[in-house]
């Protein structure tokens, strides 16, 4: 927010533009201390899955052409190397799918609601298009009791994280809507691959990609 106006109907209605005060840029924001867990991913592991997808799926499927057409401007700015790399959308699909699996497992073991954890994805490619860095940061989405009591940070031990990852990787194989879900291919109306509300979709407040670039077809 960069501007405010009075709620009193009898007061002047001209808003106060905070972006021009003193030549500096100001805004209204809320700052709170939350908690989160960062998962650093080996680029070689992500690339190996992307290569398996490339070998078994059609080009429009593994590079998620339907999703790329709807990617938000803010996401392009955040992940500038993804659209420019030949395998960028494929890498993004692998990392984003894993992120949703981890969120669902974290919510199950910690008692959080699905809308209480958000994601931030990290991908970087070099000039040749090779993936050099990848990661997922999962953090609490608000300052309520779910975001301040340590329930998420408590899961950040080596043993618990290993258990969560094992559960997430196991969950990628199953969906209550299979085989319909697993056999689904991206289309103009259903832009994801093997993904639905029963296995991968999250509330819009949790997913920074608007539930795009999701596919359980990793081989």
């Amino acid at each position: 927010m960069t501007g405010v106006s009075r709620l009193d109907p009898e007061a002047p209605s001209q808003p106060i533009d905070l972006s021009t005060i003193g030549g500096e840029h100001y805004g209204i924001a809320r700052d709170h201390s939350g908690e989160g867990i960062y998962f650093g991913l080996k680029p070689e592991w992500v690339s190996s899955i992307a290569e398996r997808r490339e070998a078994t799926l059609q080009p429009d499927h593994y590079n998620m052409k339907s999703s790329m057409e709807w990617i938000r401007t803010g996401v392009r700015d955040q992940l500038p190397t993804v659209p420019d790399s030949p395998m960028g959308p494929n890498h993004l699909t692998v990392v984003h799918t894993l992120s949703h699996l981890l969120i669902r497992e974290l919510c199950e073991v910690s008692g959080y609601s699905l809308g209480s954890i958000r994601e931030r994805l990290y991908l970087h490619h070099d000039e040749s298009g090779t993936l050099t860095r990848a990661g997922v940061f999962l953090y609490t989405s608000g300052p309520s009791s779910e975001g301040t009591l340590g329930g998420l940070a408590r899961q950040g031990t080596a043993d618990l994280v290993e258990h969560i990852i094992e559960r997430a990787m196991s969950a990628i194989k199953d969906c209550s809507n299979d085989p319909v879900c697993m056999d689904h291919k991206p289309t103009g109306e259903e832009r994801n691959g093997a993904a639905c509300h029963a296995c991968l979709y999250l509330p819009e407040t949790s997913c920074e990609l608007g539930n795009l670039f999701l596919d359980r077809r990793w081989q």
Side-chain angles (χ1 to χ4, degrees):
M1 295 175 60
T2 57
V4 296
S5 60
R6 296 182 180 276
L7 296 178
D8 186 353
E10 298 182 357
S13 60
Q14 185 175 0
I16 303 172
D17 188 357
L18 298 177
S19 63
T20 59
I21 297 178
E24 300 289 340
H25 183 80
Y26 293 89
I28 300 174
R30 180 180 61 185
D31 184 21
H32 69 90
S33 298
E35 51 186 293
I37 302 176
Y38 177 78
F39 295 83
L41 307 177
K42 290 185 177 181
E44 298 82 7
W45 179 79
V46 176
S47 297
S48 66
I49 298 175
E51 290 170 1
R52 292 205 303 265
R53 284 170 47 80
E54 182 184 19
T56 57
L57 303 175
Q58 295 296 320
D60 287 352
H61 187 163
Y62 71 76
N63 261 343
M64 304 298 282
K65 179 181 178 181
S66 298
S67 289
M68 278 299 299
E69 295 174 352
W70 287 82
I71 190 171
R72 298 169 180 169
T73 302
V75 176
R76 289 180 180 271
D77 294 339
Q78 175 197 333
L79 305 170
T81 66
V82 168
D84 297 334
S85 172
M87 291 286 284
N90 194 350
H91 293 146
L92 178 59
T93 300
V94 174
V95 173
H96 191 216
T97 300
L98 177 62
S99 174
H100 278 219
L101 290 168
L102 290 172
I103 289 176
R104 295 177 74 95
E105 293 304 323
L106 276 171
C107 289
E108 183 170 340
V109 300
S110 64
Y112 279 64
S113 63
L114 280 178
S116 61
I117 299 179
R118 291 183 180 178
E119 64 182 357
R120 177 58 59 129
L121 308 178
Y122 299 91
L123 289 170
H124 184 269
H125 302 80
D126 61 17
E127 295 181 355
S128 66
T130 301
L131 183 67
T132 58
R133 292 195 301 273
V136 175
F137 179 53
L138 306 181
Y139 62 99
T140 52
S141 60
S144 64
S145 59
E146 286 186 331
T148 57
L149 292 181
L152 182 58
R154 189 180 296 273
Q155 306 300 320
T157 66
D159 292 340
L160 292 177
V161 166
E162 182 178 356
H163 177 64
I164 290 168
I165 293 175
E166 289 177 351
R167 287 172 57 95
M169 296 302 295
S170 176
I172 199 173
K173 303 175 184 178
D174 299 312
C175 174
S176 59
N177 287 329
D178 283 341
V180 175
C181 179
M182 182 59 78
D183 292 339
H184 183 264
K185 300 178 180 179
T187 64
E189 296 182 356
E190 297 291 341
R191 301 177 183 90
N192 290 306
C196 68
H197 289 282
C199 58
L200 284 180
Y201 284 6
L202 294 176
E204 292 289 338
T205 55
S206 297
C207 177
E208 65 178 355
L209 294 180
N211 279 324
L212 297 175
F213 296 96
L214 295 171
D215 192 1
R216 292 187 295 119
R217 292 283 295 275
W218 281 14
Q219 60 184 9

